[in-house]
Amino acid sequence: THTGIRVAAVGDIEDGEALKVPAEITGHGDTIAVFHDGGVYYALDDTCSHGQASLAEGWIEDGEVECPLHSARFCLSSGRPLCMPATVTVRAHRVEVRDGWIWVHPT
Ligand code: FES
């Protein structure tokens, strides 16, 4: 069965912080950023859809992440851009909290 990738223990990612899971571990095309926002975890492709910036290094608040480079904001659950200059959705991945661990299921 497909159980996803165990990326961190609950508590390892502080609220408002994100963890980068390298592509070599995910077996996915991009580094995946795992975000913690108010007790909820989300995962998106780490690279901003507008340019070469790491969303894991952005500002996380209210279910959104703001790109550190040009301040586009993305919905953490859908990856949809919420404002300019980004216009393209970043891929979202399912996150599961199970047995005290955070699991990501790459899309
Ligand atoms: Fe993210 Fe430009 S690189 S908004």
Side-chain angles (χ1 to χ4, degrees):
T1 58
H2 186 60
T3 57
I5 301 159
R6 196 175 72 179
V7 295
V10 170
D12 280 357
I13 309 173
E14 297 289 327
D15 190 7
E17 299 290 327
L19 173 78
K20 288 193 229 188
V21 185
E24 305 85 71
I25 291 176
T26 63
H28 182 73
D30 192 6
T31 295
I32 291 178
V34 183
F35 303 89
H36 178 187
D37 183 25
V40 185
Y41 298 91
Y42 304 89
L44 299 177
D45 276 5
D46 185 47
T47 307
C48 182
S49 62
H50 178 254
Q52 287 302 313
S54 165
L55 294 178
E57 288 160 23
W59 180 255
I60 299 159
E61 195 172 56
D62 297 332
E64 302 174 4
V65 60
E66 183 178 298
C67 177
L69 195 51
H70 308 116
S71 303
R73 284 179 292 108
F74 295 88
C75 171
L76 285 173
S77 44
S78 68
R80 284 198 194 90
L82 301 170
C83 68
M84 296 294 280
T87 56
V88 177
T89 298
V90 294
R91 224 165 358 178
H93 308 283
R94 189 162 69 81
V95 179
E96 180 187 11
V97 177
R98 174 162 42 93
D99 303 332
W101 295 91
I102 301 163
W103 304 75
V104 171
H105 300 262
T107 299

